[in-house]
Amino acid sequence: MDYRLLGNSGTSVSTLTLGTMTFGSEADEPTSHTIIDTFVAAGGTLIDTADVYSGNESERIIGRWLAAHPTEAQQVVLATKGRFPQGDGPNDVGLSRRHLRVALDASLERLGVDHIDLYQMHAWDALTPIEETLRFLDDAVSAGKIGSYGFSNYLGYQITKAVYEAKAHGWAPPVTLQPQYNLLVRDIEHEIVPASLDAGIGLLPWSPLAGGWLSGKYQRDEAPTGSTRLGENPSRGMEAWEARNGDERTWAVLDAVSAVAEAHGASRSQVALAWLLARPAVTSVILGARTVSQLEDNLGAADLVLTEAELTQLTDASAPRIDDYPYGTAGVAQRARKITGGR
């Protein structure tokens, strides 16, 4: 396992993160604890959860593991999130000081700790002034309740606004962002990646296998069945079967992944993860496993190094669709200039 700094902080984390959205829903507690055991034994350190996962149960499951493994727990970098509803009242949701105070204390209690290394805002809140949210987070850092903070699912302008509001007030800056990012979903490269690079923010991509598509488990024009996410619900969310199956780009990307995987004797999942680890601004990639075997396969990406030619092959095959301006060739050409003799 390799390690990188957590964004612009001094904390180091493993380049693969254990995502725990499955804990308490798709993975029962014994399986979840074995998954943590396997991750930590492989050198993994960053464990990511959220108060909303499995109705708070994911945090409780992690908390019980931490309590039962005090020595191993010392090496864990713990991350959780707040923002989504924790009750039916009007103040039981959002990024207000009132809600975050309650949500953070509840997460600390469920996890059985007095400090969370990375506290993340799970989504933008258009109703709460950003200054209120950032001041709460700065206070939480000063109080020792959190080590640092980050965001999830923020847009480029939202990241930049938060960074400069924090700077203007002398508050602790954000260090990370969790975006959806994978070979099939690369839209964040237009605005979010540049904003993150400008601010020194580290990316923690979620859905790195595009809901299982990049693992090669689905076949063209064969509707999924059985105990997979799309087998159980073909219309599930962003990775829904019909739209992606009908998109030629999907199969061009999967063909490229398969070719590189075959050359290395690696799984397609490992190739997709290795490509993502090589992308600009990426600190650590979040693995979401339902079983120990899935996790073990994904952990193999830590030892897989792709050649420049292979990275280019994957990048070219998965190029996002863009118009000429402002993100295409014409727009990119105007993002730099020569001192003399050019535009």
Side-chain angles (χ1 to χ4, degrees):
M1 188 73 70
D2 289 330
Y3 302 89
R4 297 175 181 174
L5 291 178
L6 187 64
N8 51 29
S9 79
T11 300
S12 64
V13 296
S14 52
T15 52
L16 297 175
T17 295
L18 181 60
T20 63
M21 189 170 66
T22 61
F23 287 12
S25 55
E26 298 173 84
D28 60 20
E29 183 157 338
T31 301
S32 299
H33 282 185
T34 303
I35 286 173
I36 300 176
D37 291 338
T38 303
F39 178 72
V40 171
T45 60
L46 183 54
I47 297 179
D48 177 72
T49 187
D51 58 4
V52 75
Y53 291 169
S54 302
N56 305 147
E57 191 59 22
S58 177
E59 288 186 329
R60 293 191 183 96
I61 288 172
I62 294 169
R64 289 189 282 268
W65 184 92
L66 293 171
H69 300 78
T71 301
E72 294 89 342
Q74 292 179 12
Q75 300 303 318
V76 168
V77 179
L78 191 59
T80 192
K81 312 179 196 71
R83 192 276 195 197
F84 289 120
Q86 295 297 296
D88 297 326
N91 289 310
D92 293 335
V93 61
L95 300 182
S96 68
R97 173 179 285 274
R98 178 185 173 107
H99 176 63
L100 289 177
R101 175 180 58 80
V102 175
L104 175 56
D105 285 347
S107 287
L108 288 166
E109 182 177 359
R110 285 188 292 268
L111 290 163
V113 298
D114 59 9
H115 173 91
I116 290 168
D117 297 296
L118 178 64
Y119 193 50
Q120 300 156 106
M121 307 299 94
H122 212 155
W124 177 258
D125 178 0
L127 299 182
T128 300
I130 195 169
E131 296 87 352
E132 180 177 340
T133 302
L134 296 175
R135 180 57 189 270
F136 170 83
L137 293 167
D138 184 69
D139 288 347
V141 171
S142 298
K145 288 187 173 183
I146 64 174
S148 56
Y149 70 91
F151 306 126
S152 179
N153 305 316
Y154 273 41
L155 300 176
Y157 88 89
Q158 294 165 346
I159 297 167
T160 300
K161 183 174 183 178
V163 167
Y164 284 93
E165 285 289 350
K167 182 179 292 187
H169 291 88
W171 296 331
V175 302
T176 58
L177 173 74
Q178 278 197 31
Q180 181 182 206
Y181 193 20
N182 56 61
L183 277 162
L184 291 179
V185 182
R186 293 179 52 190
D187 292 343
I188 71 165
E189 294 175 9
H190 298 319
E191 294 283 353
I192 295 171
V193 170
S196 298
L197 287 169
D198 180 65
I201 283 176
L203 299 181
L204 306 174
W206 59 264
S207 193
L209 300 180
W213 279 89
L214 294 169
S215 70
K217 68 173 63 175
Y218 305 123
Q219 303 300 315
R220 189 167 193 163
D221 298 330
E222 295 181 17
T225 59
S227 58
T228 64
R229 291 181 178 177
L230 290 187
E232 295 165 355
N233 180 11
S235 300
R236 178 189 171 101
M238 292 169 284
E239 64 260 25
W241 161 257
E242 187 172 352
R244 280 191 173 161
N245 177 60
D247 188 341
E248 288 297 327
R249 177 175 173 270
T250 298
W251 303 106
V253 172
L254 290 175
D255 286 345
V257 171
S258 295
V260 175
E262 184 175 350
H264 283 270
S267 72
R268 282 167 282 197
S269 295
Q270 291 167 355
V271 169
L273 294 169
W275 175 85
L276 200 49
L277 281 170
R279 301 303 293 167
V282 171
T283 289
S284 184
V285 174
I286 300 174
L287 309 178
R290 296 203 286 182
T291 66
V292 174
S293 60
Q294 286 177 343
L295 176 64
E296 288 174 336
D297 177 78
N298 290 349
L299 288 171
D303 299 320
L304 179 60
V305 179
L306 304 181
T307 67
E308 287 299 323
E310 289 166 340
L311 290 171
T312 299
Q313 178 183 356
L314 294 166
T315 301
D316 289 349
S318 63
R321 299 183 183 91
I322 50 177
D323 293 321
D324 280 345
Y325 209 85
Y327 301 123
T329 302
V332 171
Q334 295 180 6
R335 295 181 191 176
R337 69 176 179 86
K338 299 178 182 179
I339 294 178
T340 60
R343 298 182 63 189

